[in-house]
Amino acid sequence: MTAPAGTRHAAGRRGDTTADSHDFPTRSYDLVKEFVIALVVVLVLGGGLAAIFSSPDEKSITMSDWAKAAPNDLIATAAGELAGTTTSAGYGAPYNTNSDGQKLGPLSLQKWGGVRIPVDSAGLVLRPLAGVSGDPTLTSAVAAWKAATPTQSTKWATDYVNALAKAPDGDPAKVAKADYGPVPAMSAGLLTLAQTGGLEGILTSSGNFYGGDQTQSILLLADGSYLEAQARARNLGGDQWGMMNETGNYPGQPWMWLYTFWYQVPPFSTSDNADAQVWGLMMLLTLILALVPFIPGLRSIPRWIPIHRLVWRNYYRSVAGP
């Protein structure tokens, strides 16, 4: 019997009897076509699944949104920044030294971090207003503020903050008449600047061309009540498991439940040092978890409660025996 040519050729080399690859049937294969089909299928599936199951893409809240939706809140916040009574003004490190910040027992963790991002609360108002031109009333108001003594300027702003708190709906037009100096004009000027959209760019500028530092704009926005109201409306408040929620009817990050759980129970839920305390507790629990193999008694729990034998029951039945 005559062997195929390919076989004879292969066998002729070192006694190899393996058939030559050229003897097997072949067909053309369009790799580019297969790649394009696979790419289209993946894109369609990815886009469809993302549209159905992905997290909602909420529009960012801007200064303009705030000014138009809650103008009275923005004016009250501006006055509070000038008076130094806002949250960021008394926050402490890393923004200022006006507070020791949160502590973990006797340890002043926040204070130890130091002031790394210095922020002057009054500067959140003065810096944007300094660039406004064509408004003589506002220009003279800023000049009067800078010419006044710190005691006088603080009194003006504090009195105006208190008057706004007592006015119906916080309406500046209904504030009791008194000497508030240039504070009403400056607060109204910041509102006008925010409504036109000019406040956004000024606060995000960080002294470079790109201006991507959002610190000051976020601090100013967070010092008002509008941002918190929007967050709570979407169930993102701290007492609403906000750290692990997402906007809308979405579960968010379930792996964060243990961290956020502690914020919901005393003493953490009522403590001013909750962040430091929860952090410390989580570090302790993490350390205990890491040291489980070395802690007498704790390391014996798997032997006392052999759940692993139930999980790997097939192995213990067939290999390890009863």
Side-chain angles (χ1 to χ4, degrees):
M1 180 182 293
T2 303
T7 305
R8 292 199 307 271
H9 176 70
R13 295 175 301 176
R14 306 175 188 174
D16 188 0
T17 58
T18 303
D20 192 281
S21 60
H22 297 290
D23 291 330
F24 296 99
T26 62
R27 65 173 181 172
S28 60
Y29 183 80
D30 192 337
L31 182 61
V32 175
K33 179 181 178 180
E34 296 290 338
F35 170 76
V36 172
I37 293 175
L39 180 62
V40 171
V41 170
V42 170
L43 288 176
V44 171
L45 286 177
L49 294 175
I52 298 173
F53 299 108
S54 67
S55 301
D57 186 14
E58 291 271 350
K59 179 184 176 183
S60 300
I61 296 176
T62 65
M63 296 294 172
S64 179
D65 296 333
W66 181 23
K68 295 174 182 177
N72 294 349
D73 180 49
L74 194 151
I75 287 181
T77 304
E81 302 290 7
L82 293 172
T85 58
T86 57
T87 300
S88 66
Y91 188 77
Y95 307 120
N96 50 58
T97 58
N98 297 333
S99 171
D100 289 341
Q102 297 199 25
K103 300 179 180 179
L104 185 59
L107 307 179
S108 299
L109 301 181
Q110 190 171 324
K111 188 176 181 180
W112 288 356
V115 179
R116 295 175 289 103
I117 312 174
V119 175
D120 176 20
S121 64
L124 298 178
V125 178
L126 294 174
R127 180 185 169 196
L129 295 183
V132 177
S133 60
D135 189 339
T137 302
L138 181 58
T139 302
S140 61
V142 173
W145 173 272
K146 293 180 178 180
T149 63
T151 302
Q152 179 62 69
S153 58
T154 301
K155 184 179 185 305
W156 281 334
T158 303
D159 290 346
Y160 191 55
V161 168
N162 294 335
L164 284 171
K166 296 176 182 178
D169 300 324
D171 189 349
K174 300 177 182 179
V175 168
K177 294 186 179 300
D179 182 15
Y180 307 119
V183 176
M186 295 169 64
S187 300
L190 190 71
L191 173 64
T192 301
L193 185 62
Q195 289 174 334
T196 61
L199 182 57
E200 201 79 38
I202 296 174
L203 287 176
T204 56
S205 175
S206 55
N208 56 50
F209 176 79
Y210 297 102
D213 188 353
Q214 303 284 336
T215 301
Q216 296 192 30
S217 60
I218 292 176
L219 287 178
L220 179 61
L221 185 60
D223 281 337
S225 61
Y226 177 72
L227 178 62
E228 182 179 2
Q230 296 302 305
R232 297 194 66 81
R234 292 163 175 77
N235 298 314
L236 299 177
D239 58 349
Q240 299 171 312
W241 296 73
M243 289 177 61
M244 62 175 292
N245 284 349
E246 292 190 24
T247 55
N249 190 23
Y250 291 81
Q253 305 88 356
W255 57 86
M256 293 190 69
W257 77 266
L258 181 58
Y259 201 102
T260 58
F261 164 77
W262 301 109
Y263 285 92
Q264 319 304 320
V265 298
F268 310 104
S269 61
T270 57
S271 174
D272 292 334
N273 295 314
D275 291 335
Q277 292 171 347
V278 171
W279 175 84
L281 178 61
M282 291 302 297
M283 291 303 100
L284 177 62
L285 293 177
T286 302
L287 181 62
I288 293 175
L289 180 62
L291 296 178
V292 163
F294 307 99
I295 301 177
L298 192 61
R299 65 187 179 189
S300 301
I301 291 178
R303 181 163 49 86
W304 298 335
I305 308 177
I307 298 179
H308 62 284
R309 296 183 68 91
L310 177 63
V311 175
W312 298 98
R313 55 187 177 277
N314 291 335
Y315 167 79
Y316 285 101
R317 287 173 182 169
S318 61
V319 178

